[in-house]
Amino acid sequence: MQRKPSTARRRKPRRAMLKWPHPDAPEDCTRAAQLNAWTPSSRHTDETLAFARAVAWLSGQDGQRLLATARAALRHANRLATDGIPLTAEQALPPIQVEHTAATVFRPGASATGTAHAGALRAAARTIHPSSWTTTTPGAGRKPPAAPYTPDEAAALLDAAKSVRSKRRRRELAAFVALTCGAGLTGTEVLRLTWADVTPKDAGATVSVAGRRVPVLSAFAAALMGAADGQDPGAGILTNTTDNGVWLVHDYARTHGMPDWDVWRATNTWRVHQLSRVPLPVLARGANLSPAHLAGLLVYCPAPDDTSLALLGDEPNVEGGAE
């Protein structure tokens, strides 16, 4: 007897809900009570706190591991909110986002806490959104990093930023484009800067960030120093220095003549430019990232010609010379 094809509808896979209180977390549950009682001292918003609690709950951890996951998720959420990325499982938990936070916020290897937070966030992301993670070769299946802007695109963004009517927005956007495209800073790093961190040098400018001093590319230095002119050195480069400050600048840019603005593309514009100029360890120090994190950008570097192979010898570099 031939079976009739089933007419029952297939159930769609359930999406992980990163909200709090979570519908699957009863209030009398020990784990839920522990998360409700957790009040982080670090800065946060109601949205990022809810995200962190939901991620910790869905991770399946308990006890101290539950709270360690929540702390890691909160720092991840703060970074995502700063970069204007939605706090959903699909947008927040794929490897490209988790690894970006690990490299720029946790910096595993620099401290035991950073290593633990990176591991906790990865484990939670794999549990909650497994379809975007692979269990094979590390790095396999990941999307390539955001493509850099071309020189013409970056110049057009700077021109658009300097054309905004609002004086404050014009200053903020010009500085933001200059610091990302011209110095490789991330949105989080720009948020923490004051005008005292920007100093003139010869005909250009440098910026001090997280203990390192980075020269600003000449194409962007004048715009940055113009934005800094007359500003209180102790004032933030962004007027709104809350966690939402960077997101608000991004949103304004995209609705005022810069529809293609993307902070990751802007930051990678500087990184790719430098990849063709300086040794990778030097760039890693300047970008405050590991060489492995930067290696993914090599796909955007121009292919070297045969004459460049001469640099592989032990003769002095013609451009750099020898002392």
Side-chain angles (χ1 to χ4, degrees):
M1 183 176 176
Q2 197 172 21
R3 298 179 64 180
K4 293 182 179 180
S6 173
T7 57
R9 293 184 179 179
R10 291 184 178 180
R11 295 180 62 183
K12 293 182 179 180
R14 185 176 179 183
R15 283 189 173 185
M17 184 180 296
L18 301 183
K19 302 291 184 181
W20 194 263
H22 195 275
D24 294 339
E27 292 184 7
D28 58 351
C29 172
T30 302
R31 294 173 63 240
Q34 192 175 6
L35 288 170
N36 283 326
W38 173 58
T39 52
S41 57
S42 57
R43 64 181 185 177
H44 59 271
T45 64
D46 290 343
E47 185 183 13
T48 58
L49 181 58
F51 173 91
R53 284 172 169 160
V55 167
W57 168 262
L58 292 170
S59 73
Q61 301 288 354
D62 55 18
Q64 290 303 311
R65 289 186 177 182
L66 178 73
L67 294 184
T69 301
R71 294 187 189 100
L74 181 61
R75 296 181 69 186
H76 182 50
N78 287 338
R79 199 277 299 170
L80 293 168
T82 298
D83 288 348
I85 296 168
L87 299 182
T88 64
E90 294 75 18
Q91 297 287 331
L93 298 180
I96 192 171
Q97 296 295 351
V98 172
E99 295 304 327
H100 186 71
T101 296
T104 60
V105 179
F106 301 148
R107 297 201 294 276
S111 70
T113 301
T115 301
H117 279 178
L121 183 61
R122 289 188 186 109
R126 286 191 182 98
T127 300
I128 298 168
H129 195 51
S131 61
S132 65
W133 288 79
T134 176
T135 56
T136 55
T137 308
R142 294 182 189 173
K143 295 179 181 178
Y149 291 114
T150 66
D152 288 345
E153 288 173 333
L157 285 171
L158 186 59
D159 287 342
K162 293 189 294 184
S163 301
V164 172
R165 286 189 177 184
S166 166
K167 184 177 180 180
R168 176 173 75 87
R169 296 292 193 182
R170 184 166 63 245
R171 180 182 69 245
E172 288 184 338
L173 287 177
F176 215 115
V177 173
L179 289 167
T180 51
C181 290
L185 271 61
T186 65
T188 302
E189 288 174 331
V190 175
L191 181 67
R192 296 170 181 165
L193 291 182
T194 65
W195 290 108
D197 297 314
V198 177
T199 54
K201 183 180 180 182
D202 301 328
T206 63
V207 56
S208 298
V209 53
R212 63 194 196 278
R213 184 176 292 274
V214 181
V216 181
L217 296 179
S218 58
F220 302 93
L224 179 60
M225 295 312 302
D229 186 39
Q231 298 305 307
D232 178 0
I237 286 181
L238 300 187
T239 303
N240 185 342
T241 57
T242 66
D243 288 337
N244 291 331
V246 173
W247 182 87
L248 292 172
V249 171
H250 294 341
D251 186 61
Y252 187 90
R254 294 182 186 117
T255 55
H256 289 77
M258 301 166 65
D260 297 326
W261 170 252
D262 184 315
V263 68
W264 278 34
R265 293 190 65 190
T267 301
N268 285 346
T269 298
W270 178 84
R271 293 171 179 171
V272 171
H273 173 78
Q274 299 294 0
L275 270 174
S276 301
R277 299 179 62 252
V278 302
L280 187 56
V282 175
L283 176 56
R285 175 71 183 98
N288 200 28
L289 293 172
S290 69
H293 188 86
L294 291 165
L297 292 169
L298 289 171
V299 296
Y300 298 118
C301 291
D305 56 29
D306 290 341
T307 59
S308 63
L309 296 179
L311 297 174
L312 298 176
D314 54 7
E315 294 298 320
N317 187 322
V318 176
E319 183 179 347
E323 295 294 334

